[in-house]
Amino acid sequence: MSNDSGIFDGRILVVAFEGWNDAGEAASGAVRALKDSLDVVPIASIDPELYYDFQFNRPVLAGDDDGRRQLEWPGAVVYAPVSPGIRVDPLDDDGGMHAAGSGVGNLYLLLGTEPSRSWKAFTGELIDAALASGIDGIVLLGSMLADVPHTRPISVFVSSENPQVRSDLGVERPTYEGPVGILSVVGDAAEAVGIPTLALWASVPHYVHNSPSPKAMLALIEKLEQLIDVTIPRGDLVADSAAWESGIDALAADDEDMAAYIEQLEQARDTVDSPEASGEAIAQEFERYLRRRGDGRGDKGDGRGPDEPWRRD
């Protein structure tokens, strides 16, 4: 997939929400990493009283640099570049801590928590902020629990509801039907007002769903770099990703059932990835895999279904 679409040469809003769409905190973690490497300022936010049930999404106490505690409320914030349109040359960056490339000055961010109620009004506020900022396209980041092995590269499924984006980038139209998260609502509202959208979904191994997945965060960052002329610093993510994988390896070494299950996932993934694999061979391998998982170990864990089933990009 290459970026041949002029849509992604303009102002792009990258969106992620904590909650149902954020398995392993991969989507929100990727946008936080991007926020830390950009010079951005908040330009819009929503009133949490209107959209959150605080018994479900509770405010938290956090200390600042001076040791003072303050309340942080759930919400959603839109960030804009301090210097819109600026290009940052990698050679101008000291220490490699800042994003670089011609797309840096066109990146806007939306980071928040999935709301508890009034989704239409919530989405309307965010779309109004996007229109006021002259956003040309929206990239929706999500992560889902899936039957994938932690030992293989994290799959990122890329899709779009927009015919022009699909044609320009050679991506698929999503076919999922069923319950959705706030990302789908935001995407639908954006397309309705003429803002084209693209969705990136990372697959997180469901058997480690309780821990953040830096490997999935990296996969989303790398896919985003393919779409936009921007280089995003990795920081500690590479080392954290290796430690995450090693930690799961250690757990599997002490659990024969887990090790056997991971081996099944690896065989299925390798069959799909093999150059000589035909569609029929892939289908047969997954039929065998599905029969083997009849003991229930293929369950998605916490029930937080994705907006898209697992697909390989």
Side-chain angles (χ1 to χ4, degrees):
M1 182 180 63
S2 61
N3 178 13
D4 297 323
S5 176
I7 291 170
F8 296 100
D9 293 332
R11 294 186 174 186
I12 303 302
L13 178 64
V14 181
V15 177
F17 286 95
E18 298 173 344
W20 203 69
N21 309 279
D22 194 31
E25 302 175 20
S28 62
V31 172
R32 283 194 179 89
L34 190 54
K35 176 176 172 288
D36 290 342
S37 68
L38 294 170
D39 291 325
V40 293
V41 292
I43 59 169
S45 62
I46 55 91
D47 181 355
E49 289 282 347
L50 301 176
Y51 302 113
Y52 295 93
D53 179 347
F54 297 135
Q55 290 186 325
F56 182 71
N57 296 116
R58 292 181 180 272
V60 299
L61 275 172
D64 59 19
D65 294 338
D66 297 324
R68 292 174 298 187
R69 298 188 306 162
Q70 57 185 5
L71 281 171
E72 294 181 354
W73 297 86
V77 180
V78 178
Y79 299 89
V82 173
S83 302
I86 191 174
R87 176 189 177 96
V88 178
D89 191 299
L91 297 177
D92 295 335
D93 180 21
D94 58 359
M97 298 301 294
H98 295 87
S102 63
V104 166
N106 289 325
L107 275 181
Y108 291 67
L109 308 176
L110 168 55
L111 183 62
T113 302
E114 185 174 66
S116 307
R117 53 177 173 259
S118 303
W119 281 22
K120 290 182 179 180
F122 176 90
T123 301
E125 284 200 39
L126 298 181
I127 295 300
D128 285 346
L131 290 170
S133 299
I135 296 299
D136 296 300
I138 294 179
V139 179
L140 305 161
L141 301 189
S143 49
M144 57 192 142
L145 299 176
D147 297 317
V148 294
H150 71 283
T151 53
R152 300 295 187 265
I154 296 291
S155 297
V156 177
F157 176 59
V158 185
S159 66
S160 178
E161 295 284 0
N162 188 284
Q164 187 62 50
V165 173
R166 292 199 303 271
S167 174
D168 289 346
L169 297 183
V171 300
E172 298 181 44
R173 182 174 190 170
T175 58
Y176 170 78
E177 296 180 354
V180 298
I182 191 64
L183 282 183
S184 290
V185 180
V186 171
D188 183 72
E191 291 285 351
V193 298
I195 303 177
T197 62
L198 186 73
L200 277 58
W201 283 90
S203 299
V204 177
H206 72 87
Y207 52 89
V208 288
H209 64 85
N210 288 328
S211 63
S213 177
K215 189 171 181 177
M217 297 176 200
L218 275 175
L220 285 171
I221 287 172
E222 289 168 358
K223 188 64 68 174
L224 192 59
E225 287 181 330
Q226 295 176 20
L227 295 167
I228 304 168
D229 182 15
V230 59
T231 301
I232 304 167
R234 303 301 194 261
D236 295 328
L237 278 178
V238 174
D240 291 345
S241 178
W244 174 84
E245 190 167 335
S246 297
I248 302 169
D249 288 341
L251 290 174
D254 294 330
D255 187 330
E256 291 183 2
D257 289 340
M258 183 179 182
Y261 177 61
I262 292 172
E263 185 178 358
Q264 292 176 9
L265 294 176
E266 291 172 337
Q267 291 172 354
R269 174 63 183 270
D270 292 344
T271 297
V272 174
D273 287 344
S274 63
E276 68 275 9
S278 65
E280 182 178 356
I282 293 171
Q284 289 176 351
E285 172 58 31
F286 274 100
E287 286 175 6
R288 287 193 295 272
Y289 164 68
L290 291 172
R291 287 195 294 270
R292 289 197 299 267
R293 62 177 276 201
D295 59 2
R297 286 182 297 183
D299 186 80
K300 296 276 192 297
D302 62 2
R304 293 180 299 164
D307 280 8
E308 291 295 341
W310 173 59
R311 302 275 303 269
R312 185 176 68 90
D313 180 28

